Amino acid sequence: MASLTFTFSSKLLLFMILCLSFNQFSFVAPAEFEVGGDHGWVVPKSKNDQLYNQWASENRFKVDDTVYFKYKKDSVLVVSEEEYEKCHSVHPLFFSNNGDSVFKLDRPGLFYFISGVSGHCERGQKMIIKVLETAHPPNQSANDNTTTDIPTQNNAAAAALVFDQNMNPISSPIILPFIVSFFGLLFV
C-alpha cells in the first residue's frame, strides 16, 4: 500500500512540476527595442529621410513593448500624424530630452516620433511605428456559418499556440512533449 501511495504521490508531483514549467512558456514578455540599433537616435548622415521608418519596418512591435532612444543633445517627441508631417509640435503627447528615453507602446496602432531639435526632423530624424493588434479570428465570409475561436492567454490551450507573421495560429513544439508526459504519468 505504501508503494502505491508513493507512486501516486510521485506522479502527482511530477505532473505539477510539468504543469508549472509548461506555464512558463504561455506568456510572452514585452520586448525593448533600441531605436536605430548601434547608431541610436541621431540625424541620418546621408539624405535618407526614411532611415528610421526602414528600421521600424524591420521589427515587429506588440502592445507593451518599449522603444529605447539613446541620443546626445537632442530630444524625442511623440506627436500626431499632422505634427509628424509638419515636423513641428507645440503640445507633443510625450517629450523627453534626457539622452536615454524609454517609451511604452501601450496600444495597437500608429505612433509618430520626431526629434524636437530644430531642423533634425526635416533631415530624417523621424519615425512611424506600427503596433500590431492582438490576435483576432480570421475574417469570415458572409456565407460561412462556422466560427473560429482563438483562445486567450488565460486558457491552457493558448499556451499551445504560436502565431505566424499574419497572426494565424500554428502548432507549437511545446504541446507534444506535454501531452506525452501527461499520458506517460497516467500509465507508468
Side-chain angles (χ1 to χ4, degrees), residues 104-123:
K104 183 176 182 180
L105 304 168
D106 60 355
R107 61 173 173 76
L110 299 176
F111 288 85
Y112 299 90
F113 298 89
I114 64 172
S115 167
V117 174
S118 181
H120 286 197
C121 177
E122 291 85 349
R123 292 176 19 215

Side-chain angles (χ1 to χ4, degrees), residues 17-37:
I17 290 170
L18 285 171
C19 286
L20 290 174
S21 64
F22 180 69
N23 192 35
Q24 297 299 315
F25 297 107
S26 66
F27 300 103
V28 177
E32 182 178 274
F33 295 87
E34 188 170 344
V35 175

Side-chain angles (χ1 to χ4, degrees), residues 5-56:
T5 304
F6 176 74
T7 304
F8 178 74
S9 297
S10 298
K11 287 181 182 181
L12 184 60
L13 179 62
L14 186 56
F15 178 71
M16 289 173 53
I17 290 170
L18 285 171
C19 286
L20 290 174
S21 64
F22 180 69
N23 192 35
Q24 297 299 315
F25 297 107
S26 66
F27 300 103
V28 177
E32 182 178 274
F33 295 87
E34 188 170 344
V35 175
D38 294 334
H39 302 292
W41 181 243
V42 297
V43 177
K45 300 275 186 230
S46 65
K47 185 61 179 149
N48 182 0
D49 62 349
Q50 292 298 310
L51 177 72
Y52 291 104
N53 285 335
Q54 181 180 350
W55 174 86

